[in-house]
Amino acid sequence: MTDKTYEPAAETVARAHVNAAQYEEMYARSIKDPDGFWGDEARARLDWIKPFTKVRNATFAHPDVSIRWFEDGALNVCANCVDRHLATRADQTAILWESDDPAVDAKITYRQLHEKVCRMANVLKGQGVVKGDRVVLYLPMIPEAAYAMLACARIGAIHSVVFAGFSPDALANRINDSAAKLLITADEAPRGGRRTALKANADEALLHCSDKVKCLVVKHTGGQTTWVDGRDVDVKAEMAKVSADCPVEEMNAEDPLFILYTSGSTGRPKGVVHTTGGYLLHAAMTHQLVFDYHDGDVYWCTADVGWVTGHSYIVYGPLANGATTLMFEGVPTYPDASRFWRVCEKHKVNQFYTAPTAIRALMGQGEEFVEAADLSSLRLLGSVGEPINPEAWLWYNRVVGKERLPIVDTWWQTENGGILISALPGAIATKPGSATRPFFGVEPAVVDPQTGKEIETVEAEGVLCMKNAWPGMFRTVYGDHDRYVSTYFSDFKGYYFSGDGCRRDQDGYYWITGRVDDVINVSGHRMGTAEVESALVAHPKVAEAAVVGYPHDLKGQGIYAYVTLMAGDEPSDELRKELSDWVRKEIGPIAKPDLLQWAPGLPKTRSGKIMRRILRKIAENEHESLGDISTLADPSVVEDLIENRKNRD
Ligand code: 6R9
């Protein structure tokens, strides 16, 4: 079933920016002559303040990894996303905002966007923010989130967006790690008819930060908040007072644009650093070609700006292309499961980009919610965040796409900046569950994890690596370049290691099989098992904890926690709830264990290493195939874990 190939429809091919022959030709050039290829693209797609003379200066060679693109060029991201469109499309909608409340929406034209961004930039300057300073954003999905990102870019400040679902502790860690000067938040974040008290969370976070950190507050719902005089600033009121003119800062192509924290297999989340020129080029080009965006289209990516998808495909890519980008504050199931489709109908959406977890959730609600809406404006469907299972793909294709729309399953990561493997709608036939083929300039390698050698045959199975630098890739881990090198460039020397497993089929198509490290993907959100473990062991009653993923019908993967209590503490349902709430408080609701098993002991090797392979098998209810357990220090603990396992599906 999954090997069936879907050829693009004739109308898709006719409209597409790139057809099959052009894809082959452009791809070949991008690999053979990357300097020529990317130099041309960068000149054609971006406005430069100072033209570059050098395209690429990059090496993956261990341990001196260093990546630079267009390094002697200068430009400004905000000027490229806003100012340069004023001459031709000042009155076109830039941001189409759909509130959580289905009765409320707003259209912000490029002219208005320019004014708002300049005002916001002047407010930041007024607070002493200068080029190179870090600014943390903790905001709902409101236009002010885009204004704030672009305002930072305009004056050369580095933004770090923290997903509004993260806890005060997680927020404080990110403010402190990046030594941010300022936090921008809102009173409340409405989602699905409920409100999260963002400002109250921010207040709590700021107790753990330097008292020099200022807090700009967007009064969005008007909900009650406490106010700290001298620290808190009403942004909208300040924006009304300051000038609507703000010059753009000339930025070197390699100056940082933003930091985005993401989970890895060890330790605290890493601050992934993206820079100016290469990132914007990659975001803009992939947005145009992968989604086949044309002038006048209405494009909707349902991600949150707290994740990289929101950065590249709600804000930077679309706005660089002068697009109309839809920004949605709500959730797919509020007021009911037809919301996505109602929004597509209401705003005549042409490209719709969402995550498999949302598709699976909506699949379960029944087709009538989709049928109720007129989806005739749609021309393309996209998927991102996790492998899309063929059932979800086929439903998306049949029920939403009416078997006439191309589906682009886009594989990429926070670290990558933009899409690396995906179909181009008019050029590449699709297969349900495969991300298909690499984007221009992207050279994947399937590497044998045992030998570390690249598998050269077309059909291959192993771990997914990249052989060469692409413009949008991250340049470092904030404040810790050694961690950059050791996490991504050391296991397989000479390659970028993605952390994903994959298979390449006889047609050269890539099938991503999921993470091979201790990262789990819960509803498209990346979570390090180590992060959840360290939250659990921080609880005074927990002696030890081990966390693994297990297959979950809706979320893709669920969080399964094994917990050993301190001597003298007894398991109880109250304690189970207490631990769950504890993790929620430490990290955020997305990290709450779905299943929590009391473990009198954990399976360990004689050297004391937890055998996660065994814990994963038990969590997956695959305890029949545990493999060799004779090397365990105490094999009897396994019996108890199997007997009391929580997943019996
Ligand atoms: C953009 C984004 C990255 C991880 C990645 C992989 C998984 C993302 C996927 C996919 C299969 C796809 N992933 N897209 N797996 N097919 N189309 O999601 O970034 O949050 O950093 O997650 O997500 O496992 O390694 P990020």
Side-chain angles (χ1 to χ4, degrees), residues 444-615:
V446 181
V447 173
D448 179 330
Q450 258 70 51
T451 64
K453 291 219 165 56
E454 182 181 354
I455 306 171
E456 308 269 358
T457 47
V458 176
E459 278 185 75
E461 186 151 5
V463 296
L464 180 60
C465 292
M466 295 296 152
K467 287 199 251 194
N468 275 313
W470 60 98
M473 74 182 291
F474 66 143
R475 306 297 198 252
T476 193
V477 168
Y478 189 75
D480 198 349
H481 196 69
D482 287 348
R483 200 170 169 204
Y484 177 72
V485 176
S486 65
T487 309
Y488 300 99
F489 300 94
S490 296
D491 291 353
F492 307 104
K493 296 206 170 48
Y495 298 95
Y496 163 78
F497 172 43
S498 68
D500 278 333
C502 87
R503 178 168 78 78
R504 185 167 56 212
D505 72 13
Q506 69 280 7
D507 299 320
Y509 276 45
Y510 291 84
W511 301 74
I512 312 300
T513 49
R515 302 288 304 197
V516 295
D517 52 11
D518 291 317
V519 170
I520 50 183
N521 193 323
V522 183
S523 300
H525 303 317
R526 244 168 98 165
M527 184 64 49
T529 54
E531 274 172 80
V532 186
E533 286 165 8
S534 63
L536 282 167
V537 295
H539 189 283
K541 291 184 178 163
V542 175
E544 204 167 22
V547 169
V548 296
Y550 72 100
H552 187 287
D553 283 349
L554 289 180
K555 299 179 174 186
Q557 279 187 298
I559 300 177
Y560 195 116
Y562 297 89
V563 172
T564 309
L565 294 174
M566 294 285 188
D569 284 308
E570 290 301 321
S572 67
D573 285 346
E574 293 81 72
L575 184 54
R576 185 192 303 279
K577 166 128 192 353
E578 187 179 319
L579 293 182
S580 196
D581 290 345
W582 173 268
V583 176
R584 185 190 169 95
K585 190 189 139 296
E586 292 271 310
I587 307 175
I590 55 175
K592 253 177 62 175
D594 296 281
L595 297 173
L596 190 151
Q597 177 172 359
W598 305 115
L602 291 171
K604 290 186 188 163
T605 61
R606 291 194 186 93
S607 62
K609 229 171 161 280
I610 295 176
M611 298 266 287
R612 290 171 176 282
R613 176 177 60 80
I614 293 175
L615 294 175

Side-chain angles (χ1 to χ4, degrees), residues 26-44 48 52-58 68-72 281 440-441 443 468-471:
M26 288 169 74
Y27 183 76
R29 176 171 183 232
S30 73
I31 302 302
K32 261 191 248 123
D33 175 22
D35 283 19
F37 181 88
W38 289 114
D40 287 351
E41 292 292 338
R43 279 181 289 268
W48 295 83
F52 54 88
T53 61
K54 195 164 181 174
V55 173
R56 195 178 43 126
N57 180 4
R68 292 197 281 270
W69 286 85
F70 317 112
E71 61 184 313
D72 60 351
L281 173 61
F440 304 123
E443 265 190 288
N468 275 313
W470 60 98

Side-chain angles (χ1 to χ4, degrees), residues 12 15-18 45 85 89 92-96 110 283-301 313-314 317-326 348-352 379-380 406 408 424-426:
T12 304
R15 193 171 34 223
H17 289 293
V18 177
R45 291 178 183 275
H85 302 311
R89 53 179 95 240
Q92 181 201 307
T93 301
I95 297 175
L96 184 45
Y110 273 95
M285 185 170 172
T286 47
H287 170 261
Q288 189 204 28
L289 301 185
V290 174
F291 302 109
D292 200 42
Y293 186 85
H294 292 260
D295 260 355
D297 286 350
V298 176
Y299 158 89
W300 182 16
C301 164
Y313 299 113
I314 295 176
L319 295 177
N321 291 332
T324 297
T325 181
L326 197 150
K348 301 202 170 35
V349 170
N350 300 115
Q351 291 92 358
F352 177 74
R379 288 212 320 261
L380 174 138
V408 292
L424 295 189

Side-chain angles (χ1 to χ4, degrees), residues 161 258-264 269-275 279 282 305-313 384-385 410-420 470 472-476 484 488 496 498 500 515 519 521 524-527:
V161 185
F258 67 85
I259 303 170
L260 189 56
Y261 284 84
T262 192
S263 299
K270 295 179 284 282
V272 164
V273 177
H274 283 287
T275 60
Y279 169 79
H282 187 184
V305 288
W307 310 115
V308 74
T309 306
H311 284 59
S312 302
Y313 299 113
V384 62
T410 64
W411 178 87
W412 61 294
Q413 312 174 289
T414 305
E415 294 86 342
N416 304 156
I419 294 163
L420 293 194
W470 60 98
M473 74 182 291
F474 66 143
R475 306 297 198 252
T476 193
Y484 177 72
Y488 300 99
Y496 163 78
S498 68
D500 278 333
R515 302 288 304 197
V519 170
N521 193 323
H525 303 317
R526 244 168 98 165
M527 184 64 49

